[in-house]
Amino acid sequence: MAAAKQSARRRPVDETSFTRNMRYELADAEGRAIRNSWLASSALGLVWILLVIFLPAVPPSIKLLRPEEAGPIEVQFD
């Protein structure tokens, strides 16, 4: 009876041995963190580019030249 109780207990899991519970991983923990940061920054960059392309242009807040001065500028060399 004591042998049956001992066999019902689970054996300690050896993490270095092959089991059916193993899974395929593309990267370790550090690699996943780097991949996720690349994905997040790429998504933000894509959103920024789409905003620049599809939103209307904002008029300039500072007008450097008056409309009557918008002609050619004379340059004099000494």
Side-chain angles (χ1 to χ4, degrees):
M1 191 74 159
K5 284 186 180 181
Q6 287 181 355
S7 64
R9 289 185 183 171
R10 289 188 170 188
R11 292 184 297 172
V13 177
D14 182 16
E15 294 180 1
T16 61
S17 66
F18 180 78
T19 64
R20 292 179 184 244
N21 296 331
M22 293 182 78
R23 60 182 180 175
Y24 182 73
E25 293 185 0
L26 293 175
D28 59 347
E30 184 179 351
R32 285 190 298 269
I34 292 172
R35 182 196 61 207
N36 291 341
S37 70
W38 273 82
L39 288 174
S41 63
S42 298
L44 286 174
L46 180 64
V47 167
W48 179 256
I49 290 172
L50 292 175
L51 287 174
V52 168
I53 290 173
F54 291 113
L55 286 181
V58 178
S61 61
I62 299 174
K63 301 210 181 220
L64 298 176
L65 297 174
R66 296 186 189 112
E68 62 270 4
E69 296 177 358
I73 299 172
E74 290 184 27
V75 179
Q76 296 178 357
F77 295 102
D78 292 331

